[in-house]
Amino acid sequence: QVQLVESGGGSVQAGGSLRLSCAASVNRYSSYCMSWFRQAPGRERVWVAHIYHAATGYADSVKGRFTISKDNNKNIVYLQMNSLKPEDTAMYYCAADARCSVSPAGDHYWGQGTQVTVSS
């Protein structure tokens, strides 16, 4: 059983920063690929970033602005978001799977989400 709990969302002005956290309750934590997805109102859920061991990947829309990292001792995954833009406004979801699937239709475990709102 995998449980994921996100935190750290909020409202910021454009250009600001936020750090999201995802606490994972899971056996063999290191065997999972941990990802962040986001979903804006009326739009599909899309992949943002993932981390598997030391390897990371980012969507083009966030590359250079967002950084994913994890603390294996605490089973927490972070998403540091800098230079935020209004188009980053969305519900952000933490996800875990075995394959680093970038499709939201993959076999993921999901958290409940945390809202990020960026005003211009």
Side-chain angles (χ1 to χ4, degrees):
Q1 186 70 17
V2 176
Q3 290 186 320
L4 305 171
V5 179
E6 302 96 331
S7 61
S11 298
V12 295
Q13 290 190 328
S17 298
L18 282 173
R19 188 177 78 159
L20 305 183
S21 299
C22 170
S25 298
V26 58
N27 291 327
R28 298 186 294 118
Y29 170 75
S30 62
S31 67
Y32 285 91
C33 181
M34 302 301 297
S35 301
W36 288 95
F37 287 75
R38 66 186 182 186
Q39 186 168 18
R43 305 191 70 176
E44 295 183 349
R45 190 172 298 189
V46 297
W47 170 74
V48 173
H50 62 216
I51 184 166
Y52 182 64
H53 294 297
T56 59
Y58 297 92
D60 287 344
S61 59
V62 306
K63 200 171 293 184
R65 300 188 297 122
F66 290 12
T67 303
I68 189 170
S69 61
K70 62 179 181 175
D71 184 333
N72 287 330
N73 292 326
K74 298 180 180 179
N75 285 13
I76 297 177
V77 178
Y78 301 101
L79 186 67
Q80 178 66 44
M81 306 186 295
N82 298 328
S83 301
L84 283 161
K85 305 175 181 179
E87 51 264 43
D88 294 318
T89 295
M91 185 72 78
Y92 283 71
Y93 296 92
C94 179
D97 77 330
R99 301 182 179 183
C100 285
S101 173
V102 299
S103 168
D107 191 19
H108 294 92
Y109 295 96
W110 295 98
Q112 82 288 350
T114 186
Q115 178 68 36
V116 171
T117 302
V118 184
S119 58
S120 57

